[in-house]
mmCIF file of all heavy atoms in Angstrom:
data_model
loop_
_atom_site.group_PDB
_atom_site.id
_atom_site.type_symbol
_atom_site.label_atom_id
_atom_site.label_comp_id
_atom_site.label_asym_id
_atom_site.label_seq_id
_atom_site.Cartn_x
_atom_site.Cartn_y
_atom_site.Cartn_z
ATOM 1 N N GLU E 1064 6.534 14.909 1.227
ATOM 2 C CA GLU E 1064 7.574 15.740 1.849
ATOM 3 C C GLU E 1064 8.617 16.174 0.834
ATOM 4 O O GLU E 1064 9.048 17.327 0.824
ATOM 5 C CB GLU E 1064 8.254 14.965 2.990
ATOM 6 C CG GLU E 1064 7.374 14.773 4.207
ATOM 7 C CD GLU E 1064 7.943 13.711 5.160
ATOM 8 O OE1 GLU E 1064 8.864 12.963 4.764
ATOM 9 O OE2 GLU E 1064 7.459 13.634 6.290
ATOM 10 N N LEU E 1065 9.009 15.231 -0.016
ATOM 11 C CA LEU E 1065 9.978 15.572 -1.052
ATOM 12 C C LEU E 1065 9.425 16.648 -1.970
ATOM 13 O O LEU E 1065 10.117 17.601 -2.321
ATOM 14 C CB LEU E 1065 10.342 14.321 -1.862
ATOM 15 C CG LEU E 1065 11.136 13.252 -1.110
ATOM 16 C CD1 LEU E 1065 11.215 11.978 -1.929
ATOM 17 C CD2 LEU E 1065 12.529 13.755 -0.760
ATOM 18 N N ALA E 1066 8.149 16.495 -2.323
ATOM 19 C CA ALA E 1066 7.530 17.471 -3.213
ATOM 20 C C ALA E 1066 7.536 18.850 -2.569
ATOM 21 O O ALA E 1066 7.873 19.845 -3.212
ATOM 22 C CB ALA E 1066 6.106 17.047 -3.551
ATOM 23 N N ALA E 1067 7.196 18.917 -1.285
ATOM 24 C CA ALA E 1067 7.178 20.206 -0.592
ATOM 25 C C ALA E 1067 8.565 20.832 -0.605
ATOM 26 O O ALA E 1067 8.710 22.037 -0.870
ATOM 27 C CB ALA E 1067 6.686 20.021 0.845
ATOM 28 N N ALA E 1068 9.583 20.032 -0.369
ATOM 29 C CA ALA E 1068 10.947 20.547 -0.338
ATOM 30 C C ALA E 1068 11.383 21.032 -1.714
ATOM 31 O O ALA E 1068 11.986 22.098 -1.864
ATOM 32 C CB ALA E 1068 11.900 19.476 0.184
ATOM 33 N N VAL E 1069 11.063 20.238 -2.739
ATOM 34 C CA VAL E 1069 11.421 20.639 -4.097
ATOM 35 C C VAL E 1069 10.678 21.908 -4.479
ATOM 36 O O VAL E 1069 11.248 22.850 -5.031
ATOM 37 C CB VAL E 1069 11.101 19.508 -5.101
ATOM 38 C CG1 VAL E 1069 11.215 20.004 -6.535
ATOM 39 C CG2 VAL E 1069 12.023 18.319 -4.881
ATOM 40 N N GLN E 1070 9.384 21.948 -4.132
ATOM 41 C CA GLN E 1070 8.564 23.083 -4.546
ATOM 42 C C GLN E 1070 8.920 24.374 -3.816
ATOM 43 O O GLN E 1070 8.620 25.462 -4.295
ATOM 44 C CB GLN E 1070 7.085 22.734 -4.348
ATOM 45 C CG GLN E 1070 6.591 21.794 -5.441
ATOM 46 C CD GLN E 1070 5.322 21.053 -5.066
ATOM 47 O OE1 GLN E 1070 4.784 21.242 -3.985
ATOM 48 N NE2 GLN E 1070 4.843 20.215 -5.981
ATOM 49 N N SER E 1071 9.586 24.264 -2.674
ATOM 50 C CA SER E 1071 10.015 25.491 -2.002
ATOM 51 C C SER E 1071 11.125 26.172 -2.813
ATOM 52 O O SER E 1071 11.372 27.359 -2.664
ATOM 53 C CB SER E 1071 10.502 25.188 -0.586
ATOM 54 O OG SER E 1071 11.773 24.580 -0.624
ATOM 55 N N ARG E 1072 11.785 25.403 -3.677
ATOM 56 C CA ARG E 1072 12.821 26.005 -4.519
ATOM 57 C C ARG E 1072 12.363 26.201 -5.952
ATOM 58 O O ARG E 1072 12.919 27.008 -6.681
ATOM 59 C CB ARG E 1072 14.061 25.115 -4.543
ATOM 60 C CG ARG E 1072 14.598 24.825 -3.161
ATOM 61 C CD ARG E 1072 15.992 24.253 -3.244
ATOM 62 N NE ARG E 1072 16.229 23.341 -2.144
ATOM 63 C CZ ARG E 1072 17.279 22.544 -2.039
ATOM 64 N NH1 ARG E 1072 18.187 22.556 -2.990
ATOM 65 N NH2 ARG E 1072 17.439 21.742 -1.018
ATOM 66 N N ALA E 1073 11.372 25.402 -6.364
ATOM 67 C CA ALA E 1073 10.873 25.497 -7.738
ATOM 68 C C ALA E 1073 9.393 25.155 -7.717
ATOM 69 O O ALA E 1073 9.017 24.007 -7.911
ATOM 70 C CB ALA E 1073 11.638 24.538 -8.646
ATOM 71 N N PRO E 1074 8.564 26.158 -7.454
ATOM 72 C CA PRO E 1074 7.149 25.957 -7.151
ATOM 73 C C PRO E 1074 6.368 25.217 -8.231
ATOM 74 O O PRO E 1074 5.355 24.592 -7.921
ATOM 75 C CB PRO E 1074 6.609 27.378 -6.994
ATOM 76 C CG PRO E 1074 7.795 28.217 -6.704
ATOM 77 C CD PRO E 1074 8.947 27.573 -7.415
ATOM 78 N N ASP E 1075 6.818 25.255 -9.458
ATOM 79 C CA ASP E 1075 6.011 24.682 -10.522
ATOM 80 C C ASP E 1075 6.240 23.189 -10.740
ATOM 81 O O ASP E 1075 5.568 22.579 -11.569
ATOM 82 C CB ASP E 1075 6.260 25.421 -11.844
ATOM 83 C CG ASP E 1075 5.545 26.766 -11.846
ATOM 84 O OD1 ASP E 1075 4.734 27.001 -10.931
ATOM 85 O OD2 ASP E 1075 5.818 27.580 -12.750
ATOM 86 N N VAL E 1076 7.177 22.604 -10.026
ATOM 87 C CA VAL E 1076 7.425 21.175 -10.214
ATOM 88 C C VAL E 1076 6.213 20.393 -9.717
ATOM 89 O O VAL E 1076 5.804 20.521 -8.569
ATOM 90 C CB VAL E 1076 8.702 20.721 -9.475
ATOM 91 C CG1 VAL E 1076 8.850 19.207 -9.563
ATOM 92 C CG2 VAL E 1076 9.922 21.409 -10.063
#
Side-chain angles (χ1 to χ4, degrees):
Chain E
E1064 289 166 347
L1065 292 170
V1069 169
Q1070 284 161 1
S1071 75
R1072 304 194 211 170
D1075 284 350
V1076 174

